[in-house]
Amino acid sequence: MPVHHAARGRTTRRKRAAWPSLALFIGLGLAAAAVGAAASANAGTVYQSLDRPVWAPPFWLFGPVWRVLNALIGVSAWLVWRARGPRARAEPGLWGVQLLLNAVWTPLFFGAR
């Protein structure tokens, strides 16, 4: 029985140690969203001037949706990183490329009009 308690203690410590890395991944995802938002200060005006279909969402909805989406992108990267551990090779790099593309999408879209 002491082994069972020791194993449970290790698992608890491992889970606690994982929380800072989760915060880091979510923070990186939200940082990418912030870069995109800061670089597209006039996006609302441009969006209103576009020829949009009637079912297009209102502009005010994009900010909250992108924040949630980027936070979930951080959670998904953390889950992959946690499952793969040191064996992860390509995943973090691909995730970084995807974050970069997320960060530049809004400025490119609204900059190109």
Side-chain angles (χ1 to χ4, degrees):
M1 192 167 243
V3 174
H4 183 262
H5 288 295
R8 193 170 12 161
R10 264 185 276 128
T11 304
T12 304
R13 277 192 300 264
R14 190 176 306 136
K15 285 182 182 177
R16 280 190 204 135
W19 289 111
S21 58
L22 173 61
L24 176 67
F25 279 106
I26 291 174
L28 289 171
L30 292 175
V35 167
S40 60
N42 67 342
T45 306
V46 175
Y47 183 74
Q48 297 301 331
S49 71
L50 294 174
D51 186 22
R52 295 170 285 131
V54 291
W55 49 264
F59 178 72
W60 61 265
L61 189 60
F62 286 96
V65 168
W66 275 104
R67 279 187 212 100
V68 169
L69 178 64
N70 278 50
L72 291 174
I73 288 169
V75 170
S76 65
W78 174 73
L79 288 171
V80 170
W81 174 79
R82 191 169 168 212
R84 298 282 309 212
R87 296 178 302 172
R89 300 249 187 260
E91 293 92 346
L94 292 173
W95 183 70
V97 168
Q98 180 268 327
L99 267 188
L100 178 64
L101 293 173
N102 251 3
V104 301
W105 164 249
T106 304
L108 286 176
F109 180 80
F110 288 107
R113 296 185 187 239

